[in-house]
Amino acid sequence: MPEHGRRPYISGNWKMAKTLSQARTHIEALLPLLPAGGGIEVGVCVPFTALEAVVSAAAGSDLRVCAQNMHQQDEGAYTGEVSAPMLVELGVTGVVLGHSERRLHFCETDRGLQEKVPAALAAGLQPILCVGETDEEREQGDMERRLRSQVQEALEKVPLERLAEVVIAYEPVWAIGTGKSATPEQAQEAISFVRALVGDRSRPAAEAVRVLYGGSVKAENAAELLGQPDVDGALVGGASLDPDGFAKIVAAAAP
Ligand code: 13P
């Protein structure tokens, strides 16, 4: 465990990839490649259709199985949506919220996330809240303003005593799926800023909260990014689809 006591966390985000049978095959290949001992928390965020199969394939291991979205209400007339209690009953233990692809293509808003993040916690799911600026915002010097509004709004209704349980993923939009990762210095700068924003509400929570980096993480650049003092792990898209590549990223997180 690093000195600050934050356990490294590496999670794959499969996005809209893998059918149920492909998901099962992937988990069977991945599990033997993961380090034993639990020093690193490892998760996979999988499509709804594969959740039950992945929970079952991962049974008896420490692999955390997460969804990629949820609705803030427990039930109701919301056609096509899935709620936290539905996920919990499947054995799911976490959920990605506010991914930039959901913000861009599916009208996810900071206001909506203000309901979703506490709803996930209340149901017993670990939220992975995604934040990050576009390249235009970065070029215009608006990165901090964007991160501030995303973090403050989404965490506003999280009870102080549960703040440290939220995982935040800093994912600059310009680095997602582009092959152009942030530099380790850029990741460190933005992530220490995100931590400071949490500190505006609670100093102890800021020390304890885990902030991950996401955006074109691969086996080749993982160690450098994860070596930064405030970078507590990674949310990995494309490179998590291959068990060997993903396992190499997990290995790079060893303290
Ligand atoms: P890539 O690793 O494919 O850039 O995706 C990052 C991401 O969006 C993870 O949530």
Side-chain angles (χ1 to χ4, degrees):
M1 184 82 83
E3 226 168 82
H4 48 58
R6 299 188 297 269
R7 187 173 166 218
Y9 188 12
I10 305 292
S11 188
N13 175 11
W14 294 357
K15 308 190 180 183
M16 196 174 72
K18 298 197 189 293
T19 64
L20 187 148
S21 58
Q22 290 167 339
R24 200 179 281 133
T25 307
H26 175 97
I27 297 300
E28 282 161 8
L30 177 64
L31 287 179
L33 305 177
L34 295 178
I40 304 166
E41 193 169 330
V42 184
V44 281
C45 305
V46 318
F48 291 129
T49 46
L51 282 171
E52 193 174 4
V54 171
V55 166
S56 148
S61 78
D62 291 329
L63 185 67
R64 196 179 255 286
V65 182
C66 307
Q68 299 173 8
N69 183 36
M70 57 164 244
H71 195 275
Q72 59 269 33
Q73 302 292 329
D74 284 355
E75 62 175 22
Y78 301 102
T79 302
E81 291 290 310
V82 167
S83 73
M86 295 173 185
L87 297 172
V88 169
E89 199 176 301
L90 284 180
V92 169
T93 59
V95 60
V96 174
L97 295 173
H99 192 281
S100 66
E101 287 149 16
R102 294 218 60 84
R103 294 175 189 260
L104 180 66
H105 304 300
F106 304 101
C107 306
E108 183 83 87
T109 62
D110 291 322
R111 187 53 61 88
L113 292 165
Q114 212 170 74
E115 308 299 328
K116 288 187 178 190
V117 178
L121 285 168
L125 293 173
Q126 175 191 62
I128 305 178
L129 169 69
C130 299
V131 298
E133 82 287 357
T134 62
D135 53 356
E136 199 182 355
E137 286 162 341
R138 177 170 276 264
E139 272 159 31
Q140 290 173 354
D142 272 347
M143 177 186 87
E144 293 196 348
R145 200 168 55 91
R146 186 76 187 111
L147 291 178
R148 182 178 293 110
S149 66
Q150 288 178 331
V151 171
Q152 284 180 347
E153 273 208 58
L155 297 184
E156 196 173 306
K157 295 186 180 167
V158 174
L160 262 192
E161 68 278 8
R162 302 210 64 182
L163 205 48
E165 294 172 54
V166 179
V167 174
I168 303 175
Y170 166 65
E171 300 207 306
V173 177
W174 47 271
I176 295 177
T178 58
K180 182 184 153 207
S181 155
T183 64
E185 294 73 26
Q186 286 171 325
Q188 166 61 25
E189 185 195 8
I191 286 178
S192 68
F193 181 70
V194 167
R195 192 178 304 288
L197 292 170
V198 177
D200 291 342
R201 279 199 62 198
S202 159
R203 273 288 180 80
E207 278 303 305
V209 80
R210 288 176 299 172
V211 190
L212 319 182
Y213 168 76
S216 298
V217 176
K218 39 189 181 279
E220 295 74 35
N221 62 12
E224 235 190 346
L225 288 159
L226 296 167
Q228 298 298 308
D230 279 287
V231 179
D232 298 320
L235 188 56
V236 185
S240 74
L241 297 177
D242 165 57
D244 291 310
F246 184 60
K248 284 192 183 120
I249 295 170
V250 172

PDB file of all heavy atoms in Angstrom, residues 5 86 171 216 232 237:
ATOM      1  N   GLY A   5      -1.964   5.620   1.753  1.00  0.00           N
ATOM      2  CA  GLY A   5      -3.016   4.688   2.153  1.00  0.00           C
ATOM      3  C   GLY A   5      -4.121   4.494   1.133  1.00  0.00           C
ATOM      4  O   GLY A   5      -5.099   3.807   1.413  1.00  0.00           O
ATOM      5  N   MET A  86     -31.537  -3.060  -9.115  1.00  0.00           N
ATOM      6  CA  MET A  86     -31.460  -4.148 -10.114  1.00  0.00           C
ATOM      7  C   MET A  86     -30.018  -4.629 -10.261  1.00  0.00           C
ATOM      8  O   MET A  86     -29.754  -5.831 -10.397  1.00  0.00           O
ATOM      9  CB  MET A  86     -31.962  -3.651 -11.474  1.00  0.00           C
ATOM     10  CG  MET A  86     -33.426  -3.284 -11.504  1.00  0.00           C
ATOM     11  SD  MET A  86     -33.825  -2.515 -13.100  1.00  0.00           S
ATOM     12  CE  MET A  86     -35.536  -2.067 -12.798  1.00  0.00           C
ATOM     13  N   GLU A 171     -10.828  12.048 -16.949  1.00  0.00           N
ATOM     14  CA  GLU A 171     -10.674  11.563 -18.321  1.00  0.00           C
ATOM     15  C   GLU A 171     -10.803  12.741 -19.281  1.00  0.00           C
ATOM     16  O   GLU A 171     -11.928  13.117 -19.649  1.00  0.00           O
ATOM     17  CB  GLU A 171     -11.769  10.540 -18.648  1.00  0.00           C
ATOM     18  CG  GLU A 171     -11.772   9.321 -17.750  1.00  0.00           C
ATOM     19  CD  GLU A 171     -12.356   8.098 -18.450  1.00  0.00           C
ATOM     20  OE1 GLU A 171     -13.476   8.163 -18.973  1.00  0.00           O
ATOM     21  OE2 GLU A 171     -11.646   7.092 -18.484  1.00  0.00           O
ATOM     22  N   SER A 216      -6.587   6.715 -23.259  1.00  0.00           N
ATOM     23  CA  SER A 216      -5.477   6.106 -23.999  1.00  0.00           C
ATOM     24  C   SER A 216      -4.396   5.509 -23.093  1.00  0.00           C
ATOM     25  O   SER A 216      -3.210   5.559 -23.415  1.00  0.00           O
ATOM     26  CB  SER A 216      -4.863   7.110 -24.984  1.00  0.00           C
ATOM     27  OG  SER A 216      -5.830   7.506 -25.939  1.00  0.00           O
ATOM     28  N   ASP A 232      -4.153   7.642  -8.670  1.00  0.00           N
ATOM     29  CA  ASP A 232      -4.410   6.455  -7.844  1.00  0.00           C
ATOM     30  C   ASP A 232      -4.803   5.223  -8.646  1.00  0.00           C
ATOM     31  O   ASP A 232      -5.140   4.185  -8.066  1.00  0.00           O
ATOM     32  CB  ASP A 232      -5.514   6.755  -6.828  1.00  0.00           C
ATOM     33  CG  ASP A 232      -5.125   7.871  -5.877  1.00  0.00           C
ATOM     34  OD1 ASP A 232      -3.951   7.904  -5.456  1.00  0.00           O
ATOM     35  OD2 ASP A 232      -5.975   8.724  -5.573  1.00  0.00           O
ATOM     36  N   GLY A 237     -10.050   2.032 -21.406  1.00  0.00           N
ATOM     37  CA  GLY A 237     -11.032   1.671 -22.419  1.00  0.00           C
ATOM     38  C   GLY A 237     -10.488   0.591 -23.338  1.00  0.00           C
ATOM     39  O   GLY A 237     -10.404  -0.588 -22.971  1.00  0.00           O
TER      40      GLY A 237
END
